[in-house]
């Protein structure tokens, strides 16, 4: 399509329509009041709605075909269909926080490609994913959408997601949309939509790298965050959008706001009215307004009064037309929408297998005194708890996933050990305010007559995700009671944890014999759990986010600064140190941590040289040995510390990892190239460069490792 020629023929009304996105309920028959309500107060007219160029939050190829068919009767430019497909469309795989814990970019790429295929068949053109915000505070419900607290891990995972979603932009691919630019994860106190106030250096050093990784991977769209940067709503922030995203990084794709974010500038107290909001967003480089209509209401006037130029509007419209052209919509407005093929593909054995493998590789074994793996000769198993026999283990953004399609833990265990007596008791509900309605007694009775117990605890999926911040990361009291009562009558209790965030489960850690964190594992969660519990698969996940010892530690993350008075890590209390008088500094489980059914040894770090000059690199190597009795994956992690610099540096920074499989007794050399770029950091003037000095290389199985060697970076050797 000659989109420039098309642009030249468009009316201003048509152009403005391309820059607005309304929910599908506005276009399907019987628009829902919940979405049209607030906008009805803005008296948006049917005529204005009729030319809106994109929609979101629809479900299914037939709905898409219906809307597109009706729309094309009065519009010559096809509508763009967008959807949140964060971790699966119909076949749901682990939440992104779990995918990050897999430390396996191939798994992430494969899952993303599967989701793209199902979404494309479901009529989706653009996927509002990957969400690449850095997360350091587990009180924030949206940590479940991130791949965690580390810039490097987030960057490699974000790249894998964009590549999986977009592929070669063929029939089974969708355009990806990076969100939420930028630093949404820094909301104060972990409270969603709260103030963000980070320095430019912190923004550059910790928050921006994953967004940049998606630009380098060719992402087609960006979404701005609800929040502020430097006191200015990101949606109107020229420094971030024009300066960094479009300027420094050269991103020329479509930038869409988040839901109603243009109008919310007034709520922020940034503009006096919605007309100014529209003008601020447009002049900052926003192309499309999601779920508010200030562009429809005010662009014409803004052009007339010279506050916005039609040339600016044309630039935005051209980006939208180019995206539609890249998707082939002018040739085929229905693109890949195919309900019948989706039914054949979704939940197929192949897709279920991909989801199951991802759930297995994302799970993190947090504790095990040898209780696990259970023997397949077990005679009886009690599957107990609020997550024991429910399909509601899909996570907050489960898109078209259906609870009834889920393999529950109870299902999975029954299938894996068909000769055992496998029974189920709920014990209590997962809601925060759940009380004992007699379920505990029933569960205790079952536990009493069973050889072992799989106790499925955790948070309700609806208490995770957007808008669901928590003041308290402990499990609900009733779940601790269930654990204690069941443990009194059965000494073989393995806890399965279902959660969208790190939880402060120190009480469990103290007395549980085994804890396996499944996150929200998705459609095949029960199959994966059974395979892991009975040792068909050896757990290999490593924490993508620190688990706090108590909520008061949040935000807590491994790549922190040393401070002037670090507390010695011996558990004793020291006055006048950076510590708490009523609890530890140490987290419950550190970033990168995860156990296995086998064990590994890692030799001392060897360096090819002890000094490098700028532009040179060295090799850091170890020998990893499987010292246990069964094969398993080790995730060998490389961290670096810059001991002193013109800006203080974190005590450790992840700069590489390798996930390797070793049979019992097998050993392998693992090498990392340490180059100057790994040592670079953002200076206060915004420039990124390494500085000569002394460095330490750590290579170990988690961020607590002290297996290290020193080297120097010098101006000249
Ligand atoms: C939501 C979320 C965003 C999502 C959008 C569309 O408010 O902030 O992540 O993509 O609206 O559903």
């Amino acid at each position: 399509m000659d989109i420039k020629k098309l642009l030249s023929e468009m009316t201003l009304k048509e152009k403005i329509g391309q820059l607005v996105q309304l929910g599908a309920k506005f276009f399907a028959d019987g628009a829902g009041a919940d979405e049209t309500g607030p906008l009805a107060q803005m008296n948006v007219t049917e005529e204005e709605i009729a030319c809106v160029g994109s929609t979101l939050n629809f479900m299914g190829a037939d709905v898409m075909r219906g809307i597109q068919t009706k729309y094309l009767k009065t519009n010559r430019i096809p509508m763009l269909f967008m959807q949140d497909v964060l971790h699966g469309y119909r076949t749901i795989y682990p939440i992104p926080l779990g995918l990050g814990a897999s430390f396996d970019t191939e798994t992430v790429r494969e899952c993303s490609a599967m989701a793209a295929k199902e979404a494309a068949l479901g009529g989706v053109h653009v996927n509002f994913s990957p969400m690449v915000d850095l997360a350091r505070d587990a009180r924030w419900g949206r940590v479940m959408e991130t791949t965690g607290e580390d810039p490097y891990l987030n960057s490699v995972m974000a790249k894998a997601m964009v590549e999986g979603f977009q592929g070669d932009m063929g029939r089974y691919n969708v355009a990806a949309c990076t969100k939420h630019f930028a630093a949404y994860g820094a909301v104060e106190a972990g409270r969603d939509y709260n103030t963000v106030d980070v320095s430019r250096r912190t923004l550059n050093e910790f928050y921006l790298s994953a967004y940049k990784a998606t630009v380098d991977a060719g992402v087609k769209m960006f979404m701005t965050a609800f929040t502020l940067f430097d006191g200015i709503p990101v949606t109107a922030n020229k420094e971030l959008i024009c300066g960094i995203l479009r300027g420094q990084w050269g991103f020329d794709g479509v930038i869409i706001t988040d839901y109603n974010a243009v109008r919310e500038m007034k709520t922020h107290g940034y503009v006096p009215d919605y007309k100014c909001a529209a003008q601020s967003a447009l002049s900052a480089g926003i192309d499309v307004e999601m779920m508010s209509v200030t562009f429809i209401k005010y662009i014409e006037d803004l052009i007339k009064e010279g506050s916005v130029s039609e040339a600016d509007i044309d630039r935005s419209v051209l980006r939208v037309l180019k995206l539609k052209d890249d998707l082939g919509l002018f040739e085929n407005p229905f693109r890949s929408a195919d309900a019948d093929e989706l039914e054949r593909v979704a939940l197929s054995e192949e897709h279920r297998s991909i989801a199951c493998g991802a759930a297995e590789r994302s799970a993190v074994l947090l504790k095990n005194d040898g209780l696990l793996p259970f023997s397949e000769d077990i005679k009886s198993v009690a599957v107990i708890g609020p997550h024991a026999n429910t399909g509601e283990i899909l996570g907050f953004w489960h898109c078209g996933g259906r609870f009834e399609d889920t393999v529950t833990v109870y299902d999975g265990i029954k299938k894996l050990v068909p000769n055992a007596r496998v029974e189920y008791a709920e014990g209590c509900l997962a809601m925060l305010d759940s009380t004992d309605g007699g379920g505990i007694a029933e569960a205790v009775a079952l536990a009493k007559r069973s050889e072992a117990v799989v106790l499925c605890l955790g948070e309700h999926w609806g208490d995770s995700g957007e808008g669901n911040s928590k003041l308290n990361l402990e499990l609900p009291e009733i779940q601790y009671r269930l654990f204690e009562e069941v443990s009194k009558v059965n000494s073989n209790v393995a806890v399965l944890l279902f959660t969208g965030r790190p939880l402060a489960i120190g009480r469990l850690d103290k007395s549980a014999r085994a804890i396996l964190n499944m996150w929200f594992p998705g459609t095949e969660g029960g199959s994966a759990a059974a395979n892991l519990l009975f040792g068909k698969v050896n757990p290999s996940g490593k924490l993508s986010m620190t688990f706090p010892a108590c909520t008061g530690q949040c935000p807590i993350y491994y790549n922190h600064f040393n401070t002037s008075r670090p507390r010695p890590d011996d558990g004793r209390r020291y006055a006048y140190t950076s510590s708490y008088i009523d609890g530890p500094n140490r987290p419950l489980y550190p970033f990168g941590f995860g156990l296995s059914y086998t064990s590994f040894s890692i030799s001392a770090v060897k360096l090819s040289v002890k000094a490098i000059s700028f532009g040179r690199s060295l090799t850091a190597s170890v020998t990893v040995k499987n010292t246990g009795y069964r094969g398993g994956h080790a995730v060998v992690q490389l961290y670096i510390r810059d001991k002193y610099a013109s800006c203080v540096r974190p005590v450790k920074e992840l700069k590489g990892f390798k996930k390797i499989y070793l049979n019992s007794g097998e050993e392998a050399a693992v090498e990392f190239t340490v180059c100057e770029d790994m040592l670079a950091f953002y200076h206060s003037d915004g420039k990124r460069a390494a500085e000569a000095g002394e460095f330490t290389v750590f290579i170990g199985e988690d961020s607590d490792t002290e297996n290290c060697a020193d080297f120097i970076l010098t101006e000249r050797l």
Side-chain angles (χ1 to χ4, degrees):
M1 168 61 76
D2 181 344
I3 54 176
K4 285 192 176 150
K5 181 172 177 299
L6 173 58
L7 177 68
S8 68
E9 296 162 355
M10 289 168 70
T11 64
L12 180 58
K13 192 161 77 72
E14 278 185 305
K15 292 177 184 178
I16 295 170
Q18 294 303 307
L19 307 185
V20 180
Q21 178 176 79
L22 290 179
K25 289 177 182 170
F26 280 82
F27 304 100
D29 296 335
D34 61 332
E35 285 199 47
T36 55
L39 291 166
Q41 291 144 31
M42 290 184 72
N43 58 48
V44 62
T45 65
E46 285 308 321
E47 191 209 350
E48 289 166 339
I49 292 170
C51 66
V52 163
S54 75
T55 188
L56 76 158
N57 293 352
F58 69 101
M59 188 45 64
D62 293 342
V63 167
M64 180 269 189
R65 285 183 173 278
I67 292 173
Q68 191 75 290
T69 302
K70 181 179 165 193
Y71 182 79
L72 289 171
K73 287 196 173 79
T74 54
N75 291 277
R76 53 182 164 162
I77 300 169
M79 181 178 279
L80 198 54
F81 287 76
M82 306 191 195
Q83 185 77 17
D84 295 286
V85 186
L86 270 292
H87 49 104
Y89 179 77
R90 175 77 66 73
T91 311
I92 307 302
Y93 47 89
I95 57 173
L97 194 58
L99 292 177
S102 74
F103 277 72
D104 183 339
T105 51
E106 203 31 55
T107 289
V108 173
R109 192 174 287 104
E110 185 182 39
C111 283
S112 304
M114 171 178 75
K117 181 171 184 178
E118 291 188 6
L121 292 170
V124 175
H125 299 147
V126 180
N127 178 12
F128 291 133
S129 181
M131 192 272 214
V132 300
D133 302 320
L134 184 91
R136 292 176 147 178
D137 194 325
R139 293 172 293 180
W140 188 44
R142 303 198 76 163
V143 300
M144 54 79 53
E145 301 174 51
T146 78
T147 49
E149 70 189 50
D150 182 73
Y152 175 77
L153 181 64
N154 289 350
S155 298
V156 297
M157 291 299 171
K159 175 175 181 288
M161 287 181 187
V162 170
E163 291 170 350
F165 291 139
Q166 295 192 162
D168 57 5
M169 284 302 285
R171 178 163 183 269
Y172 292 142
N173 296 118
V174 291
C177 174
T178 298
K179 67 186 185 184
H180 308 80
F181 189 70
Y184 181 12
V187 284
E188 284 181 359
R191 197 175 79 224
D192 209 354
Y193 317 120
N194 199 7
T195 300
V196 165
D197 194 355
V198 295
S199 70
R200 280 175 181 71
R201 220 192 64 74
T202 297
L203 178 79
N204 282 321
E205 192 67 51
F206 294 99
Y207 287 92
L208 289 185
S209 52
Y211 301 105
K212 173 70 166 54
T214 65
V215 174
D216 296 342
V219 74
K220 296 282 185 186
M221 184 186 280
F222 256 72
M223 181 191 298
T224 50
F226 290 117
T227 42
L228 303 173
F229 174 66
D230 205 23
I232 299 171
V234 165
T235 301
N237 197 300
K238 291 182 184 172
E239 179 184 352
L240 284 186
I241 298 172
C242 303
I244 296 176
L245 182 53
R246 294 215 190 276
Q248 289 174 29
W249 298 351
F251 178 72
D252 193 31
V254 175
I255 299 177
I256 190 169
T257 73
D258 205 338
Y259 203 104
N260 195 37
V262 174
R263 288 206 305 176
E264 289 175 6
M265 281 194 226
K266 186 165 176 286
T267 317
H268 268 299
Y270 181 68
V271 291
D273 56 45
Y274 294 140
K275 183 176 176 184
C276 290
Q279 193 269 330
S280 303
L282 286 162
S283 58
I286 292 292
D287 297 314
V288 179
E289 174 180 17
M290 181 197 293
M291 278 305 283
S292 57
V293 291
T294 67
F295 284 13
I296 290 177
K297 293 299 181 188
Y298 301 112
I299 282 184
E300 205 151 345
D301 293 347
L302 289 168
I303 291 174
K304 280 186 192 129
E305 65 189 48
S307 311
V308 169
S309 74
E310 187 151 0
D312 293 333
I313 300 302
D314 287 354
R315 236 189 321 277
S316 291
V317 175
L318 209 52
R319 291 190 190 109
V320 175
L321 295 180
K322 181 175 185 314
L323 178 56
K324 293 184 175 184
D325 197 32
D326 288 350
L327 287 157
L329 298 187
F330 292 105
E331 289 72 40
N332 174 9
F334 304 106
R335 196 162 183 267
S336 313
D338 186 328
D340 294 339
E341 186 175 353
L342 175 61
E343 286 315 306
R344 291 195 300 274
V345 162
L347 301 169
S348 63
E349 209 172 302
E350 179 199 359
H351 281 200
R352 281 184 177 270
S353 167
I354 291 169
C356 184
E360 289 164 350
R361 291 186 283 275
S362 301
V364 183
L365 184 60
L366 298 173
K367 189 176 179 189
N368 184 30
D369 69 359
L371 174 65
L372 293 178
F374 288 138
S375 159
E376 289 188 58
D377 300 330
I378 197 164
K379 296 288 176 290
S380 57
V381 184
V383 188
I384 293 172
H387 293 295
N389 188 26
T390 171
E392 298 192 36
I393 52 175
L394 302 182
F396 179 82
W397 291 98
H398 54 266
C399 196
R402 295 177 306 209
F403 297 143
E404 60 268 30
D405 295 327
T406 306
V407 177
T408 71
V409 176
Y410 178 54
D411 296 339
I413 292 174
K414 276 194 299 182
K415 184 173 178 209
L416 190 70
V417 286
N419 301 324
R421 173 171 55 78
V422 182
E423 293 180 76
Y424 148 72
E426 186 170 54
C428 67
L429 297 176
M431 266 64 89
L432 289 172
D433 56 358
S434 169
T435 55
D436 179 10
I440 291 183
E442 180 202 359
V444 168
L446 173 59
K448 217 168 190 171
R449 64 174 188 273
S450 302
E451 193 177 330
V453 175
V454 176
L455 186 57
C456 305
L457 304 176
E459 61 177 0
H460 187 275
W461 66 267
D463 292 339
S464 164
E466 183 176 356
N468 295 313
S469 303
K470 278 185 172 176
L471 286 169
N472 179 356
L473 296 175
E474 291 282 359
L475 282 175
E477 198 51 43
I478 188 81
Q479 294 193 32
Y480 286 121
R481 263 199 56 216
L482 178 62
F483 168 74
E484 285 149 12
E485 293 306 316
V486 163
S487 302
K488 282 177 190 167
V489 300
N490 192 305
S491 58
N492 299 319
V493 178
V495 174
L496 277 189
L497 188 67
F498 294 85
T499 184
R501 55 170 36 104
L503 295 174
I505 51 169
R507 282 173 65 180
L508 268 188
D509 180 65
K510 273 198 186 72
S511 37
R513 294 188 60 195
I515 304 172
L516 178 61
N517 172 19
M518 295 301 294
W519 307 105
F520 284 115
T523 308
E524 284 291 319
S527 312
N531 290 337
L532 291 159
L533 286 165
F534 286 87
K536 306 287 278 186
V537 172
N538 191 349
S540 62
K542 305 293 175 187
L543 288 181
S544 45
M545 199 172 167
T546 301
F547 266 56
C550 55
T551 308
Q553 288 183 331
C554 291
I556 182 170
Y557 44 94
Y558 86 94
N559 47 0
H560 58 78
F561 298 139
N562 201 34
T563 75
S564 60
R565 297 187 177 187
R567 173 184 188 167
D569 200 5
D570 59 12
R572 289 168 49 202
R573 183 177 157 182
Y574 290 87
Y576 306 113
T577 59
S578 181
S579 56
Y580 305 97
I581 60 170
D582 55 350
N585 288 18
R586 283 189 58 74
L588 184 61
Y589 311 114
F591 173 83
F593 172 79
L595 299 174
S596 169
Y597 292 150
T598 188
S599 55
F600 299 95
S601 66
I602 296 184
S603 70
V605 178
K606 275 204 205 92
L607 301 182
S608 53
V609 291
K610 288 293 221 182
I612 56 172
S613 59
F614 285 86
R616 307 303 294 270
S617 61
L618 62 82
T619 301
S621 56
V622 293
T623 300
V624 183
K625 182 172 184 177
N626 182 334
T627 52
Y629 299 102
R630 56 168 296 157
H633 286 90
V635 178
V636 185
Q637 300 158 42
L638 169 78
Y639 295 90
I640 285 183
R641 179 175 191 174
D642 184 346
K643 291 184 180 177
Y644 58 85
S646 57
C647 294
V648 296
R649 312 293 308 122
V651 295
K652 277 194 185 91
E653 291 181 278
L654 181 72
K655 293 294 181 184
F657 60 85
K658 291 186 177 174
K659 189 165 190 174
I660 60 169
Y661 185 86
L662 293 173
N663 292 310
S664 171
E666 188 181 4
E667 65 179 45
V670 175
E671 290 186 353
F672 294 96
T673 299
V674 177
C675 59
E676 181 189 327
D677 186 65
M678 284 183 183
L679 314 179
F681 63 93
Y682 282 91
H683 296 241
S684 301
D685 63 3
K687 291 190 174 53
R688 183 171 183 273
E691 279 178 0
E694 297 169 32
F695 295 83
T696 302
V697 172
F698 300 84
I699 300 180
E701 290 191 79
D702 62 45
S703 57
D704 262 359
T705 181
E706 288 306 320
N707 185 34
C708 62
D710 292 342
F711 73 95
I712 63 167
L713 172 65
T714 175
E715 298 293 348
R716 59 190 153 283
L717 283 176

